[in-house]
Amino acid sequence: MTESALFQAMCGKQSWLFTVTLPLIYIVLLFLGFSREDIVEEQISEIWIPKSGSFYKDKQYAKDLGVNLNPISTFLAMALSRDGGNIFTSTRLEEVRTRMEESESLIVEYKGEKYTWDDICASNSAGLGGTYKFPCVRLTPMDLFQESRWFLDSTDRLTWYDNAIRNELVKTRVPRFGVMSQVCTSTGASSTGDFCDRTMQLRQNETYAVEQGYPKSYANPLNLFLDISDMEFNDLCKICMESAWDESMKELTQAVTGLFLVLEIELQKLIKIGTDSNTIELAKKVAAIRVDLDRTQVEEYYTHQTVRALYSQIGAEFYKTSYELLMASLSPICLGLVPGYNPTCPPESLTLQEAQQHLITFADNEFSSITTAGSPFPFWSNGNGTGIFLGGTSPVSGSGLNLGGTPLSAAKYLDLKNYGTANWSLFNSSSVVLDPTHQLLVNDPVFKWFTAGQTPFTGHCGNGNLTATGNPSVDPSLVPPLNQNVTQRWCNEFSKPYLKDSTETVQHFAKMWYARLLDSDQFLGTTQGESDPYTWTSGSGCGYSLKGKRPSYTGVNESDILRSASMEIYYLDEGASAGSIAPSVLLGGTNPKIGEYNSENPLTSVEVIQTLYIASVPENIVKRVSNCNRPGGAIDISEDDARAILTTWKERFEEIWTANWDDENSGDVMFSGYFDSIGPAKGTNERLLEDITLSSGRLTLISIVMIVLISVIFLFSFDTVKSRIGITLAGITLVILSFFAAVGLGILLGIKVNINIAWTLPFIMLGLGVDDMYIILLSLMKQGGNTKKDFLAGMDEVIVPVTMTSTVNASMFAVMQLVDIPAVFKTAQVALISVIFLYLTIMFCYPAYCYLDMRRQSAGRLDLLCCIKAKDEKNPSLDHSEQNSSEWQKSTMYSFMFSKTYKPLLLNESRGIFLLSRSIIWMTTLTLVAVGIYGIGERNVGLGLEDFFPPDHQAYVWATVRTRELASWPIKINWGQIKYHESATQMKMLKQFEDINSLPLVASVGTDSLWMANLLIWSTKLCDANVAREDPDIYECGSDQIFPKDNSTCSGSWTANIEDLKLKQFKDGTEETCASTAEGICRPASQMHGKDLEDLGIDSLSQESYCPVFDWSEEKLQFCVGKWRLYVGGVKGELLVEDDATEYSGGCGSDFYRDETVKTPIQFSASSTIYSIDLLTHDDTIDLIKETRNFCDDHDVIHCWMSGPPFNFWEQYLTSEIVLLKTSSTSVAVGFVVAAFFLILQMKREGEHPTTKIVMGSLAGAFLIAVTTVLCLIPVIGFSVIADVNFTAFSNMSFVLSVGFAVEYSVHIVHGFLSAPSNIEGAKARVEHAMSFLCIPLTLSFISSTVGICCLAFTDFKFNEVYFFRPLIIVMMVTYFNGCWFLPSLLTALEFDCLNLGKSSESDGKILAVEDDKD
């Protein structure tokens, strides 16, 4: 159907189809789209993160593999002093602590169930079976102070005690102390050399320590526990200790197992020949012992035997001193006792050996339920706690189990070596019949320990007072009140049984007693269930000591608090798992700056502190709450439930944390924070994003009302028939309906309404649509009549320019698909649909309404009240004869806008005024371009969070302070499928990690935090996994794992450090040194294991350094990595595994071993989380991206990529300038091509000029349109920059939209100029011909669009005002001036015949005369 036939049809009986069909379709689309749930795009990632490019492909690669690059969600909780002063004061820190407690106590209710922080946090487990038994992980500088212990409950403290005290210290280090002292020193009972002599002497001999350059305080025997843990595995003492420990336990286990096997056999022989009941009972005990006897139980025996010896060795000096001080006051009393009461007074002094024996006697003494702690002083008449003080020589209480005697003397008695041979016989006996009472048997501490485990004993742990003398000759006031000064109280509710008798075993009470002894002040100084990492430190962290405490701020002066805050910041484990926490992540506004302060040069002020609350993601929350350890019971929920819970929890937690942030009277501390959107679950951005997006509705409505009012004002006529208010309202309604139908279709196609759509398109697309409506309506008005012929003539004039502008606009939005930012291309997709819908409406629907309105006028019916006819005699408009077009020229609009305003200014008949005005206009345009070029040169790139949040939002404070003081983000390094099994790849992988960690914008962490580095160490002789293995019979280092295919082990080797990797940091040997990280994993030859040096064929004097590597097959790599993950934990990286983990037998539904099958070849891996720091500007962030790309993305051998907020959200800024140039230039080029095509087509159709002339003229016209567009783009961009609008996806789209408006103006004007009747002579006259009509609709379009966009200035969000209003209002001003003033002015100077392509006369014979105004 040709355009003529189309418009002919609108005049026929089928006109109703044109008026009804599209509106009905649009209504359906609008309803279907907007009736959907979740139509607003709340995820910032779906607006801001690029969807193409190498970075996107890398992320998509990981996504396709099922990798979650964001496994945790984080709340950045900031606290800062309101007055900008120091926050590290006692009162302010207490404010922070109180707010933390309030926030972490949050309970969220969902579907009748209550959920707490323990359900939400990323980790609250201390290992398998430990879920809900340890506090949630959060990183905070408040952990510097012991007041933060409030968040540990008794269960948490018990878990910590079991792991940190019992497992890591007592179970692991105490027995090794026994081996070290007995085997690895020259004076040991089983000495194999002097490997540990120096270590022991430094801790036990003050004089020797000072001689070796250590402080006198270094000589503390208890700190040998630290040495045992801290020694490197190349240390000869450590090598001796570990090898001797393992061999000793193997031999001891074998011996003990053999002992009780032979003993069981021989006891059964006795029973067969007949024996007494005691022997039968012993046989039962031995049989029971044999059932459960394993290495774990043997190690337990050895540990307690070592504690007994350690007690006498370490405690003797202190005991001797205490004894002599006490006797100095007791001797006079003792001597004055009634004769016969105590015939011998205790000696006043002791030798060290006697003190040691006293302690041994105490440990072996009977257990007391009255006063379990008892006393080692041998002053009582009996040892059960009821004896008389100074009435005998017995201590009070003890383990109840005498472990004295020669270990394995029973084996000697049973002649185990010869058992089962002809040479076997019982020791020193000609008989082969076992004597169950033989001293070598019953006095064997091994025999006594294990039989005690089968011997019942009734008692409890008691805290009673030690008894006094009761001697009548002693004045009670002269005797120290023993129940206060001497009595110790070891027992609490966790000492089972407590206060109430229960029948257990002798061994049970002995274990309890030794445990309480180790907890006592003489040893570790802990209290089970009460002590925690804040009140008891292990000495692992820099600045901490064994048995120390974290500092307190309560009642402490400011300078001392700041000195405490100058220490390294650790989580509860003092850096054992991940080292210290980078202060750049947690502290801001420090003086001195971070990196410049330390204990010697402490902080003098800190303005802001930040706590990182780490929450889980829905899939893991589902698993968490199904755990039977959950308080309140396990529960099954779906991921959708978990997402809803997490979303609610985030919002509520943020509300509590930031409460009263803007109330100056609410304390000295202001609280603000930011929650990410990972989950996906709405965070701070998303909640605000939703509010901003939805808030556009009010201003959109006001904009529509303003457009309506302007249109009505200009198209109103007192001639109630000629008035066109009704058809104007109809047009605006159709434009609105078309736009929102386009949005509805976009929603149906999966395009949610984002902030760009909501705050750009209504104001732009309605303006473009109304502009075309004005063109059509005024073109019909210009015809001067209401006949069908007038209708067809009017539509014929506008179909080409309207089609051209719509095509160019559609092409422009299509070009925006080149931009990979969702905010742009999704908005452009909706805009493209909108352009199409608007064009269909303007061409296929609205003209039909216009024709009906013309019929109304012909019928003399009133505007708006079309059912009423005007009276003929009073209304001259009812003359249906052909009207002269001069009536258009006499209209108010024409008179005001063109005749009295536009024409005198631009087309003045006075040549002088005309040339002056043209000069001014051209100079103005040149000035605009010049200023624009200057502005572009001053451009800034990037949109920060501080730009997004309004000043009255708490997150604005967080974002502003973060940018200024705490500009850090969590980041990761990711690798794809590389040759992980090859040593060269491993070295390069470590090099990439270290190079990135060495960047000034990254907080450095040790190389061993990288999973590959950890795996490499595990494969060497430096592996420490065997120190505290879960099952002592299963070895956990790489060298212990046998690859079944070839029986090789998962052992690595060492190679020269050809990549110049970092070296591990060591203590220098002359003083106590402490490093926050271990730096690298490579070592100088001097720090290598002796056997490794032999393998390399070098000695320790070599100046070279070496690094661990391995070269395995893919299959072996799969096997070894699987074993490493199982034993070491594999938590320092993310690898792809099958879903075949074994459920932990001691768990309850959601605890699994990390024994999943590793997918090979390894297609993905990642580093642990590290932190970018000091990203104070967008340029800093862009520098970080560029610098990391040098080492990662652009690596010539191994490709890796970064992830994290800086890379996700700032990546686009690397190319924003190029993207703007590409989209704007492409849009201009497309505009040129489209304009040229349509102009050639239109002029060729009219066929009055040669083809060459038509082509030349059309190309010139298209070129003029392109030039005008460029002259608009440059000032729009430049002035926007001057108006503080940075280059972003939002502003770039606004800049490119100037192409649309420039084309909208220039196409109509150029077309009008080219198609002006050929008999109109002169460029100026043709411009006047074109603008006499176009001035009015284009000006109306400008006014209505500008007024609509001005509504944006009244937004409540400064972000909208900056990034939408400012560039768009500049677009409106610049494009209108250059399009409607400069371009026509330029055309007046183009006196070229090729530009005169119009017909010889008007097609209907009516040529619009040009008014010949006089000066």
Side-chain angles (χ1 to χ4, degrees), residues 744-800:
L745 179 58
I747 293 170
L748 293 175
L749 294 175
I751 306 172
K752 295 183 180 180
V753 179
N754 62 46
I755 187 173
N756 211 19
I757 292 174
W759 284 94
T760 302
L761 293 193
F763 307 96
I764 297 300
M765 301 315 298
L766 293 180
L768 293 176
V770 169
D771 180 27
D772 287 339
M773 180 201 77
Y774 289 148
I775 293 289
I776 289 177
L777 183 57
L778 294 177
S779 177
L780 295 174
M781 289 175 62
K782 189 186 75 169
Q783 304 308 313
N786 296 316
T787 65
K788 179 178 178 180
K789 181 180 178 181
D790 295 318
F791 172 73
L792 295 176
M795 292 307 301
D796 185 64
E797 286 186 9
V798 298
I799 185 170
V800 170

Side-chain angles (χ1 to χ4, degrees), residues 888-907:
W888 158 256
Q889 296 172 313
K890 296 177 182 178
S891 65
T892 304
M893 278 192 300
Y894 184 90
S895 174
F896 173 73
M897 289 188 179
F898 182 74
S899 299
K900 296 183 178 180
T901 305
Y902 189 83
K903 182 179 177 181
L905 291 174
L906 185 71
L907 303 169

Side-chain angles (χ1 to χ4, degrees), residues 618-650:
E619 61 186 275
N620 293 331
I621 292 175
V622 170
K623 298 174 184 177
R624 170 78 56 75
V625 298
S626 67
N627 192 284
C628 67
N629 292 330
R630 180 177 183 267
I635 184 173
D636 292 325
I637 62 174
S638 67
E639 280 197 34
D640 287 340
D641 290 333
R643 187 171 294 106
I645 294 164
L646 179 59
T647 299
T648 302
W649 191 90
K650 284 183 175 183

Side-chain angles (χ1 to χ4, degrees), residues 251-266:
E251 294 173 2
L252 184 58
T253 301
Q254 185 178 7
V256 173
T257 302
L259 168 64
F260 284 100
L261 173 62
V262 171
L263 191 56
E264 183 180 26
I265 294 172
E266 295 304 313

Side-chain angles (χ1 to χ4, degrees), residues 1358-1377:
K1358 186 177 181 181
F1359 167 81
N1360 292 336
E1361 187 267 328
V1362 173
Y1363 288 95
F1364 294 121
F1365 169 70
R1366 292 184 191 178
L1368 289 179
I1369 199 66
I1370 293 171
V1371 165
M1372 298 312 302
M1373 298 299 175
V1374 171
T1375 56
Y1376 176 70
F1377 179 82

Side-chain angles (χ1 to χ4, degrees), residues 377-390:
F377 297 123
F379 297 158
W380 279 266
S381 57
N382 62 55
N384 66 3
T386 62
I388 299 174
F389 180 60
L390 296 179

Side-chain angles (χ1 to χ4, degrees), residues 541-562:
C542 296
Y544 293 110
S545 60
L546 184 65
K547 291 180 61 175
K549 293 181 179 181
R550 300 197 183 202
S552 172
Y553 60 71
T554 303
V556 178
N557 64 54
E558 190 170 326
S559 61
D560 287 343
I561 293 175
L562 285 163

Side-chain angles (χ1 to χ4, degrees), residues 108-120:
V108 169
E109 189 165 340
Y110 179 80
K111 292 184 178 180
E113 288 288 337
K114 294 181 178 179
Y115 299 87
T116 68
W117 174 223
D118 275 340
D119 297 317
I120 304 299

